[in-house]
Amino acid sequence: MKLALVQTNPVFGELRANVEHALSLMERVAADLYVLPELFNTGYSFASSEELSALAEPSAGQTSRAMSRFARGHSCYAVYGFAERAERIYNAAALVGPKGLIGVYRKVHLFDREVLLFAKGNRGFPVFRTPLGNIGVMICFDWIYPESARSLTLKGAQLIAHPSNLVLPYCPDAMVTRCLENRVFAATADRVGAEDRAGASLRFIGRSQLVSPRGEALVRLGDVEEGCAVAEISLSDADVKTINPHNDLLLQRRPNQYTS
Ligand code: ACM
């Protein structure tokens, strides 16, 4: 399958234009799965709950309709981050395919001021069985808890789709370790640019990357420019969990020796 990382620079609050622009980047490269950044349609730094509420939308809202239209037209799949309006408001990511919305993940580990704005994800880490393979989803700061990627691996994920808005510099290197310790692919789709809002100045680091189960960076984007980059991968490479004749990554876990 061909996987495309879509690295964008959204304009805060310009939902419709941000979606149109991302779709125009996606039009430039053919892929089976596109992974987009966290909150790619709204921007990141909400000044208040009211501002967030005004930009949040249901999982089957206008962004889902636009992305599903693209997926139907191009017979492909896409994972993207958005602010989900449900009984509360979640920092969420959706997977859509040719038949529309497949499922939603709600960010479990909220970062910094997100704690003041969003409800904590309450549905664990989902793995979606698709014709392409098993796609797990986590969002940005979830990377700092190894349990996130491990939970997805134990549930059968071959690929972790990882929409992000990274501000700390550590994640790209850490995701290499996440892939090695789980023998999975990970597609971190980040944004670039800066936001100076709500008393905070944030610069997003870009450096979107696709990492293989062997820890190889198959594709890496820069830290300034938007763009869309593609790599061809075989998700079944993630099914091999043996390291040598005596070590199997998952079978030799010792949960009764761990503290939960
Ligand atoms: C982050 O979780 N957006 C840093």
Coordinates of all heavy atoms in Angstrom, one line a residue, residues 38 44 91 107 109-111 114 139-143 164-168 204, ligand 1:
E38 N -3.1 16.5 13.8 CA -4.0 16.8 14.9 C -4.7 18.1 14.6 O -4.1 19.0 14.1 CB -3.2 16.8 16.2 CG -4.0 17.2 17.4 CD -3.1 17.3 18.7 OE1 -1.8 17.4 18.5 OE2 -3.6 17.3 19.8
Y44 N -4.8 25.1 16.6 CA -4.5 24.4 17.9 C -4.9 25.3 19.1 O -5.5 24.7 20.1 CB -3.0 24.0 17.9 CG -2.7 23.3 19.2 CD1 -3.0 21.9 19.3 CD2 -2.0 23.9 20.2 CE1 -2.7 21.2 20.5 CE2 -1.6 23.2 21.4 CZ -2.0 21.9 21.5 OH -1.7 21.2 22.6
N91 N -10.5 16.1 21.9 CA -9.5 16.2 20.8 C -9.4 14.8 20.2 O -9.0 13.8 20.8 CB -8.2 16.5 21.5 CG -7.0 16.8 20.5 OD1 -7.1 16.4 19.4 ND2 -6.0 17.4 21.0
K107 N -8.4 11.5 22.2 CA -7.1 11.6 22.8 C -7.1 11.3 24.3 O -7.8 12.0 25.0 CB -6.5 13.0 22.5 CG -5.0 13.2 22.9 CD -4.5 14.5 22.4 CE -3.0 14.7 22.7 NZ -2.6 16.1 22.2
H109 N -4.2 11.2 26.4 CA -3.2 12.0 27.2 C -3.2 13.4 26.7 O -2.6 13.7 25.6 CB -1.9 11.3 27.1 CG -1.8 9.9 27.5 ND1 -1.7 8.8 26.7 CD2 -1.9 9.4 28.8 CE1 -1.7 7.7 27.4 NE2 -1.8 8.0 28.6
L110 N -3.9 14.3 27.4 CA -4.0 15.7 26.9 C -2.7 16.4 27.3 O -2.2 16.2 28.4 CB -5.2 16.3 27.5 CG -6.6 15.7 27.1 CD1 -7.7 16.3 27.9 CD2 -6.8 15.8 25.6
F111 N -2.3 17.4 26.4 CA -1.0 18.1 26.6 C -1.3 19.5 27.1 O -2.1 20.3 26.5 CB -0.3 18.1 25.3 CG 1.0 18.9 25.3 CD1 2.1 18.4 26.1 CD2 1.2 20.1 24.7 CE1 3.3 19.1 26.1 CE2 2.4 20.8 24.7 CZ 3.4 20.3 25.4
E114 N -4.5 21.9 26.8 CA -5.6 21.0 26.3 C -6.4 20.5 27.5 O -7.6 20.2 27.4 CB -5.1 19.8 25.6 CG -4.5 20.1 24.2 CD -3.8 18.9 23.6 OE1 -4.2 17.8 23.8 OE2 -2.7 19.1 23.0
I139 N -2.9 10.1 19.3 CA -2.7 11.5 18.9 C -1.5 12.1 19.7 O -1.5 12.0 20.9 CB -4.0 12.3 19.2 CG1 -5.1 11.8 18.3 CG2 -3.7 13.8 18.9 CD1 -6.5 12.5 18.6
C140 N -0.6 12.7 18.9 CA 0.5 13.6 19.4 C 1.0 13.1 20.8 O 1.7 12.1 20.8 CB 0.0 15.0 19.5 SG 1.4 16.2 19.4
F141 N 0.7 13.8 21.9 CA 1.4 13.6 23.2 C 1.2 12.2 23.7 O 1.9 11.8 24.7 CB 0.8 14.6 24.2 CG 1.6 14.7 25.5 CD1 2.9 15.0 25.5 CD2 0.9 14.6 26.7 CE1 3.6 15.1 26.7 CE2 1.6 14.7 27.9 CZ 2.9 15.0 27.9
D142 N 0.3 11.4 23.2 CA 0.2 10.0 23.5 C 1.5 9.3 23.4 O 1.8 8.2 24.0 CB -0.8 9.3 22.7 CG -2.3 9.6 23.0 OD1 -2.6 9.8 24.2 OD2 -3.1 9.6 22.1
W143 N 2.4 9.8 22.5 CA 3.7 9.2 22.3 C 4.5 9.0 23.6 O 5.3 8.1 23.7 CB 4.6 9.9 21.2 CG 5.1 11.2 21.7 CD1 4.6 12.5 21.6 CD2 6.4 11.5 22.4 NE1 5.4 13.4 22.2 CE2 6.5 12.8 22.7 CE3 7.4 10.6 22.9 CZ2 7.5 13.4 23.4 CZ3 8.4 11.2 23.6 CH2 8.5 12.5 23.8
S164 N -0.5 14.7 14.7 CA 0.2 15.5 15.8 C 0.2 17.0 15.5 O 0.0 17.4 14.4 CB 1.6 14.9 15.8 OG 1.7 13.6 16.2
N165 N 0.5 17.7 16.6 CA 0.8 19.1 16.6 C 2.0 19.3 17.5 O 1.8 19.8 18.7 CB -0.4 20.0 17.1 CG -1.4 20.4 16.0 OD1 -2.2 21.3 16.2 ND2 -1.3 19.8 14.8
L166 N 3.1 18.8 17.1 CA 4.3 18.7 18.1 C 4.9 20.1 18.4 O 5.2 20.9 17.5 CB 5.3 17.8 17.5 CG 5.0 16.4 17.3 CD1 6.0 15.7 16.4 CD2 4.9 15.7 18.6
V167 N 5.2 20.3 19.6 CA 5.9 21.5 20.0 C 7.2 21.1 20.7 O 8.2 21.9 20.7 CB 5.1 22.5 20.9 CG1 4.0 23.1 20.1 CG2 4.5 21.7 22.1
L168 N 7.3 20.0 21.3 CA 8.6 19.5 21.9 C 9.4 18.8 20.9 O 8.8 18.2 19.9 CB 8.3 18.5 23.1 CG 7.4 19.1 24.2 CD1 7.1 18.0 25.3 CD2 8.1 20.3 24.9
F204 N 5.4 24.9 15.9 CA 5.2 23.5 15.6 C 6.4 23.0 14.8 O 6.8 23.6 13.8 CB 3.8 23.3 14.9 CG 2.7 23.8 15.8 CD1 2.2 25.1 15.5 CD2 2.2 23.0 16.8 CE1 1.2 25.6 16.3 CE2 1.1 23.5 17.6 CZ 0.6 24.8 17.3
Ligands
ACM1 C1 0.4 17.8 21.6 O1 0.0 16.8 22.2 N1 -0.3 18.5 20.8 C2 1.8 18.3 21.9

